Structure formats: structure tokens, C-alpha cells
Amino acid sequence: MSSWIRNKQSKVKQMMTNIEERITQMASCGLSPYVIEERLGMEHYTIHIKYHQALMNGYVTAPASGRVHTLSAEEKAARKRERAKERREEKKAEAKKQAEAPKRVEMTHEERLARRREYDARYRREHREEYNRKRRELYHAMSPEKKKALFERLVEYKRATYEQRKDKINERRRELRRLKKEQANAEKQKAAQGVQAPSDTENRLLLSA
């Protein structure tokens, strides 16, 4: 452990010791935890959590000192009002947090999978170069046996994917062939009309003459 860390820990320990001594001294005078928190600038209702032992050490000697401090009726009422105000503020903050929190959208398992696939595809498109570079680095770092196993898994995956989507793939192929055939027919008709146009023009000229 470095000297800087040891010095830092010793400073923190010394600081904690000073705070504990002050708490013990105030508690020995009979001051209530609430008053001690007020004088030390601490958050209310936390002294028992952080400095319970120091507080109890002071209260052990408090009755013998004859300087026990008790809250008056006004102080008790003020403390009660302050605590009630804090609770109202906490409830308002929690209600505001709940209102601003995004609502959870109910989705089926298939919808979640589709949304995840869309996110992955968008991420790969946006980071294509980095994604491909990492894949190449991982592939070149593999042993020949792992490369062969990877190739076999890839072939098996493509075969299984084709079997699952065979009908859709064949339907898409038929659709592409139909579109190409329609395009070819349209081009033939256009070419035929272009060939017939000059003859029609000549016939009209002869008739007019």
C-alpha cells in the first residue's frame, strides 16, 4: 500500500475520531440526537446509523453530569412538524419520479425478439467497419481447428436457415423472375413501337401527297 493511501486513511480515521469525540461530549451533556445533528450540521435521523457507539458512550455518563437536556413541548412540536414536512417532500419527490419514469410497454416474446434483432442490425450498420475489423482479428487469431469448426457450424446454420425459410426464399425468387420477365416484355414492346414509328410516318406522308 502506498504512503499516499496510508496518509489518506489516517486523515479519514482522525476525522472520524474527532466527530465521534464531539458526539460523545455532546451526548454526555444530555443533548438529544436531534440537537446534536442540528449543531453538527448532519442530516436528521442518521446519527444512530453512523455514530451509534459514540452516542451511547456519551449517554452513559449523561445522568451523572446533572446536565441532561430534554426537548421542550415547543421543540417537540417543531420537530414533529419538520419530520412531517420531510415525509411530504419525500412523497412528492417519489410521485414525481414515478410520473417521469418511462412507462413499461407490454410486448410479447416475439415482439421483444424482433425489437432486439432490429437493434442489433442497426448497431451493425452504424458500426460496420469496427464490427468487421473485430471479426477479422478474432478469425485470424483462431487455430486451424477452430476455423474448420466455425466453417462447419456456418454451413450447418445456413442449411438450417434455408430449410426454415425455404418457402419464403422460393416465393421471393419466383417474384424476382416475374418482375424480370415483365421488364423484358416492356422493353421488347418499347423497342417494337420504336421500329414501327418511322413506317407509320412515311405512310401518312404518302397519303397526304
Side-chain angles (χ1 to χ4, degrees), residues 48-92:
H48 283 289
I49 300 173
K50 298 180 180 180
Y51 308 106
H52 177 76
Q53 189 60 44
L55 195 64
M56 293 300 104
N57 292 339
Y59 283 141
V60 168
T61 59
S65 64
R67 292 177 294 178
V68 178
H69 175 81
T70 57
L71 293 175
S72 63
E74 292 79 6
E75 290 176 334
K76 289 181 180 179
R79 180 177 177 179
K80 188 175 181 180
R81 288 194 300 270
E82 184 175 355
R83 183 55 182 164
K85 182 179 179 181
E86 289 179 359
R87 288 179 179 175
R88 288 195 299 270
E89 295 295 332
E90 290 175 359
K91 289 182 179 179
K92 288 181 181 179

Side-chain angles (χ1 to χ4, degrees), residues 12-28:
V12 173
K13 186 176 181 180
Q14 184 66 25
M15 186 183 300
M16 294 292 290
T17 303
N18 293 337
I19 294 176
E20 290 174 354
E21 288 178 357
R22 293 183 64 187
I23 292 174
T24 302
Q25 183 181 4
M26 291 182 184
S28 64

Side-chain angles (χ1 to χ4, degrees), residues 2-193:
S2 64
S3 60
W4 182 84
I5 296 176
R6 286 195 296 270
N7 294 335
K8 188 70 174 178
Q9 290 180 349
S10 63
K11 289 181 181 179
V12 173
K13 186 176 181 180
Q14 184 66 25
M15 186 183 300
M16 294 292 290
T17 303
N18 293 337
I19 294 176
E20 290 174 354
E21 288 178 357
R22 293 183 64 187
I23 292 174
T24 302
Q25 183 181 4
M26 291 182 184
S28 64
C29 296
L31 298 178
S32 66
Y34 188 88
V35 176
I36 295 174
E37 290 169 346
E38 285 283 344
R39 293 190 178 183
L40 295 179
M42 297 173 58
E43 185 179 356
H44 292 308
Y45 312 106
T46 59
I47 192 170
H48 283 289
I49 300 173
K50 298 180 180 180
Y51 308 106
H52 177 76
Q53 189 60 44
L55 195 64
M56 293 300 104
N57 292 339
Y59 283 141
V60 168
T61 59
S65 64
R67 292 177 294 178
V68 178
H69 175 81
T70 57
L71 293 175
S72 63
E74 292 79 6
E75 290 176 334
K76 289 181 180 179
R79 180 177 177 179
K80 188 175 181 180
R81 288 194 300 270
E82 184 175 355
R83 183 55 182 164
K85 182 179 179 181
E86 289 179 359
R87 288 179 179 175
R88 288 195 299 270
E89 295 295 332
E90 290 175 359
K91 289 182 179 179
K92 288 181 181 179
E94 184 65 24
K96 183 179 180 181
K97 183 179 179 181
Q98 292 293 337
E100 294 178 352
K103 301 298 182 182
R104 182 178 176 85
V105 181
E106 296 295 335
M107 293 186 296
T108 62
H109 180 65
E110 291 75 12
E111 290 174 344
R112 289 194 182 93
L113 287 178
R115 187 174 182 180
R116 183 64 187 180
R117 293 193 193 99
E118 182 182 355
Y119 171 79
D120 292 341
R122 185 170 64 253
Y123 179 84
R124 285 194 295 270
R125 288 194 301 269
E126 294 174 356
H127 304 81
R128 182 173 298 173
E129 295 182 0
E130 182 181 0
Y131 184 76
N132 292 335
R133 179 179 58 80
K134 288 182 179 180
R135 290 185 63 184
R136 286 193 297 270
E137 291 177 356
L138 291 174
Y139 180 77
H140 290 306
M142 289 182 181
S143 62
E145 293 79 8
K146 287 187 177 180
K147 289 181 180 179
K148 182 179 179 181
L150 178 63
F151 178 75
E152 292 176 353
R153 288 200 301 270
L154 181 61
V155 172
E156 184 63 27
Y157 171 77
K158 287 186 176 181
R159 184 182 296 111
T161 304
Y162 175 76
E163 291 297 329
Q164 292 177 357
R165 304 177 60 187
K166 181 168 56 177
D167 297 337
K168 291 184 179 180
I169 293 173
N170 293 334
E171 183 180 356
R172 180 60 178 167
R173 287 175 178 174
R174 289 193 295 269
E175 181 67 18
L176 290 175
R177 286 197 296 268
R178 185 183 64 80
L179 291 175
K180 288 181 179 179
K181 188 175 181 180
E182 290 180 356
Q183 185 177 1
N185 292 334
E187 290 178 355
K188 288 181 180 179
Q189 291 179 1
K190 186 176 181 181
Q193 290 176 359

